[in-house]
Amino acid sequence: MADYLYTLEMRLSPDQQRAVTLLQDTARAAGMNVYLTGGAVRDIITGFAIRDLDFTVQGNALKLQKELERAGAEVVATDDDLKTLHLSLSGGVRAEVSTARTETYEKIGKPPLITPATIIEDLRRRDFTVNAMALSLNPGSRGLLMDPFNGVADVEAKLLRILHNYAFVEDPSRLIRAVRFSARFHWPLEERTQARFNAAKENNYIEHISRAAIGAEIEQLAYEDDPLHILHALEKENWLKVLVPHWSTSKVDAAGLNTLLKARQQMNELGYSPNPAPAVMYFLTARLGEKDIADMRKLIPRKDLVEAWKDLEDNAKELAKRLCGKEAATPSRTWKLLSDARPEMVLFLSATARQQTVAQKIRNFFTKWRQVQQKIPLPEMTELHITPQLPEYSKIAHDVFMLLLDGKLRSRTETLKFLKPLAPPPPPPPAPRRGRWAKGSAAEATVAAAQAPGKKRTDAKAKTLAVPAAPAPQSPATDKPKPPRPSKRKAAGRPAGKVKKKKR
Ligand code: ATP
Ligand code: MG
């Protein structure tokens, strides 16, 4: 049996892992069973990126709100009918916590009757087999995969299959979802699903799509890796207009979007993870009328996305202004300004900046100035015991970098001259111990003394017990070379290798 827990841990980012632990602990404390569901389970198996986390609890998810907020989660939207929480968690992790439910559809175009249910019943109301799996996060069954429709087989076959013949009739938004997933994964619809899809299209069931589903589908587009590709696929079916009446791919600023996605890639490679969704919405709707945009915003469930999208241009203007002002008069000040700015704003500005100065500063921030970091003399700093173990290490390293950026340390000699007075005093040798280990301890003390830069060995015992410095003191008994003691040397913040008495 596949070890899904292991795969889960391997595939999730540290922030996503923390989110899983948070949900697991919160639900447990509330006496509810919790499962990872939806796309995260699918993508653990497919290997595609895990975009967001969908949790389902057996019990009322809304009851977890206070506890989650206390733990730092931001509730960005709630759905009182479906008893679902939309969360924004540390590190920008998006999560949804829904109440396990059944949905009974009585009439076309009418919302279903909702009743609380078990997880297995809940899986039956889902859209595709690959999305109808749950992974238990509960003690006793943690890691157990529930897969009543054999979604794993469809993941392996790379097929999208509906759960029953009425899937598209009951909820026509599944038509849009089918196109979106098919375009994203490049997976076809399974034969019977394709036939039902064609029939639903012929009967124009899409006109019964709910406003809530439209909002959810628009929102999902903002998080796609290649949103324009999805828009093209939806347009081909004539369904982009179902989401927004005047929307078409010609309303997209494709060049801007492309620049944005490239800048995002570059930022990701440098270790930043800006949320591109607001900027993606900006470019996807660049040529759309104000009214259509306003309507779209009303429909999107996550209000944090809407607010960020609305504020994007003003915030970017503000940042651009600051980048042209005194606050960014030197490279080091610009570095600080850009480092402190929200990565989303830097990302957006890097794709939209018109002023040459602004564009150049952002370019320098991502390329040229980073190369200056390589001029920080790390080996020499280590020799001076300016190592990460030192409490003031970050500040010293930062100060050197800032001075290098501004060209105030023009050579290695100048840099070392700056660093030397900042070196810490040598560590005192450990006091000799008595008893069984006394000999070893004294030897260590001697080694430490030998290693301590600038320390004169006046101690008689040290002289007499003087052992050759590491590495590999020979054992007289066995004559076998002993390995050096990397752990002790590492703990002392020194490089492994030969120990020489340093002149200072
Ligand atoms: P991703 O988040 O990667 O886009 P996802 O499958 O997780 O994909 P979400 O929109 O996050 O998609 O929905 C989470 C889960 O909720 C889905 O996997 C599916 O099980 C269920 N779901 C969402 N919308 C529908 C729907 N219209 N009909 C039935 N089930 C749905
Ligand atoms: Mg999801």
Side-chain angles (χ1 to χ4, degrees):
M1 201 181 90
D3 185 348
Y4 294 109
L5 267 190
Y6 175 75
T7 323
L8 178 70
E9 273 152 30
M10 295 302 293
R11 296 289 321 285
L12 295 182
S13 70
D15 284 322
Q16 286 176 326
Q17 279 183 37
R18 273 189 284 278
V20 169
T21 308
L22 172 65
L23 259 297
Q24 198 173 275
D25 295 349
T26 312
R28 193 174 176 183
M32 294 184 201
N33 278 337
V34 60
Y35 303 86
L36 189 65
T37 47
V41 182
R42 176 196 64 223
D43 292 331
I44 284 170
I45 303 164
T46 59
F48 286 113
I50 298 172
R51 299 155 20 117
D52 60 18
L53 299 173
D54 303 292
F55 298 94
T56 304
V57 292
Q58 287 183 168
N60 184 351
L62 300 184
K63 286 193 178 158
L64 302 177
Q65 175 162 358
K66 279 210 178 97
E67 208 40 56
L68 288 168
E69 281 176 332
R70 215 166 289 153
E74 191 192 342
V75 176
V76 291
T78 50
D79 185 324
D80 293 331
D81 298 331
L82 300 181
K83 297 194 172 52
T84 296
L85 297 172
H86 299 258
L87 306 174
S88 189
L89 300 164
S90 147
V93 172
R94 281 179 302 127
E96 203 181 292
V97 193
S98 62
T99 300
R101 62 181 190 263
T102 55
E103 292 182 353
T104 317
Y105 291 84
E106 296 191 319
K107 238 180 162 183
I108 292 181
K110 291 276 173 247
L113 281 176
I114 306 285
T115 45
T118 63
I119 186 68
I120 291 289
E121 287 164 333
D122 178 279
L123 294 177
R124 290 197 197 113
R125 60 129 188 123
R126 306 237 166 200
D127 48 2
F128 305 104
T129 58
V130 294
N131 288 347
M133 297 183 274
L135 192 67
S136 168
L137 299 173
N138 307 299
S141 61
R142 205 164 168 271
L144 181 76
L145 183 77
M146 274 154 273
D147 181 14
F149 299 96
N150 207 359
V152 170
D154 282 336
V155 167
E156 274 161 19
K158 300 188 194 317
L159 282 177
L160 290 168
R161 185 192 306 267
I162 43 173
L163 305 193
H164 54 79
N165 286 343
Y166 303 102
F168 294 131
V169 187
E170 290 185 343
D171 180 353
S173 75
R174 292 170 188 161
L175 291 164
I176 291 188
R177 293 175 66 79
V179 173
R180 188 158 60 80
F181 289 126
S182 177
R184 188 201 299 172
F185 299 133
H186 303 279
W187 291 359
L189 305 189
E190 166 274 334
E191 207 180 318
R192 184 178 56 99
T193 302
Q194 184 67 59
R196 294 288 152 194
F197 180 96
N198 296 345
K201 222 182 136 186
E202 222 161 87
N203 290 310
N204 205 22
Y205 288 145
I206 198 77
E207 68 184 13
H208 299 299
I209 188 170
S210 71
R211 284 175 64 75
I214 291 177
E217 288 309 308
I218 295 173
E219 181 182 295
Q220 292 292 334
L221 291 171
Y223 298 101
E224 289 290 342
D225 280 343
D226 189 354
L228 190 51
H229 171 59
I230 312 284
L231 253 63
H232 275 293
L234 289 173
E235 189 170 52
K236 214 169 128 208
E237 302 290 346
N238 226 356
W239 286 343
L240 211 44
K241 289 189 168 29
V242 171
L243 296 180
V244 184
H246 304 106
W247 211 5
S248 70
T249 48
S250 65
K251 306 281 181 191
V252 177
D253 175 354
L257 183 66
N258 193 28
T259 314
L260 178 89
L261 296 178
K262 277 196 185 140
R264 179 212 186 182
Q265 173 77 17
Q266 186 185 25
M267 284 182 78
N268 285 346
E269 280 160 16
L270 292 171
Y272 299 92
S273 29
N275 170 13
V280 166
M281 288 313 295
Y282 173 89
F283 288 113
L284 288 183
T285 59
R287 299 187 186 112
L288 206 56
E290 299 243 323
K291 172 149 185 349
D292 281 320
I293 293 182
D295 288 346
M296 261 172 131
R297 287 175 175 165
K298 271 187 223 143
L299 290 172
I300 291 177
R302 293 187 78 100
K303 295 305 161 208
D304 58 338
L305 168 62
V306 174
E307 291 309 315
W309 174 16
K310 267 189 198 163
D311 296 343
L312 214 48
E313 277 185 291
D314 285 348
N315 287 344
K317 261 187 213 148
E318 170 71 24
L319 182 58
K321 202 169 138 198
R322 291 172 68 191
L323 280 168
C324 293
K326 264 195 192 153
E327 215 181 333
T330 59
S332 68
R333 295 175 80 175
T334 312
W335 178 275
K336 183 167 175 1
L337 180 57
L338 286 170
S339 300
D340 292 347
R342 281 192 302 118
E344 284 74 22
M345 290 322 307
V346 181
L347 170 67
F348 181 64
L349 200 52
S350 73
T352 52
R354 301 225 189 288
Q355 298 118 297
Q356 198 45 39
T357 341
V358 175
Q360 188 58 49
K361 283 183 176 172
I362 296 179
R363 257 199 308 278
N364 286 346
F365 180 67
F366 286 136
T367 53
K368 191 173 140 194
W369 292 343
R370 265 153 226 273
Q371 287 154 16
V372 173
Q373 273 170 335
Q374 283 156 16
K375 290 192 190 160
I376 300 177
L378 293 178
E380 287 88 344
M381 281 170 77
T382 308
E383 280 178 14
L384 289 168
H385 303 298
I386 303 175
T387 59
Q389 284 81 13
L390 205 64
E392 49 278 23
Y393 177 81
S394 312
K395 186 179 175 323
I396 297 175
H398 177 262
D399 288 351
V400 174
F401 178 46
M402 294 295 106
L403 291 166
L404 284 166
L405 265 188
D406 289 343
K408 289 186 178 156
L409 298 175
R410 276 162 305 171
S411 64
R412 195 151 275 250
T413 320
E414 275 187 29
T415 308
L416 291 180
K417 206 168 146 196
F418 170 80
L419 282 168
K420 272 183 187 158
L422 303 173
R433 275 183 271 151
R434 287 168 184 239
R436 212 174 139 203
W437 303 105
K439 199 174 168 194
S441 302
E444 279 168 22
T446 314
V447 173
Q451 290 165 357
K455 169 113 176 102
K456 278 188 189 167
R457 285 192 286 152
T458 48
D459 178 328
K461 208 170 186 184
K463 267 184 198 164
T464 51
L465 282 181
V467 287
Q474 302 290 304
S475 152
T478 60
D479 224 17
K480 263 193 201 157
K482 271 192 200 163
R485 297 176 175 158
S487 58
K488 279 196 181 103
R489 294 183 53 71
K490 257 190 205 152
R494 294 173 203 121
K498 231 174 191 172
V499 178
K500 278 189 189 157
K501 196 176 168 190
K502 299 259 158 26
K503 276 189 191 156
R504 301 191 59 208

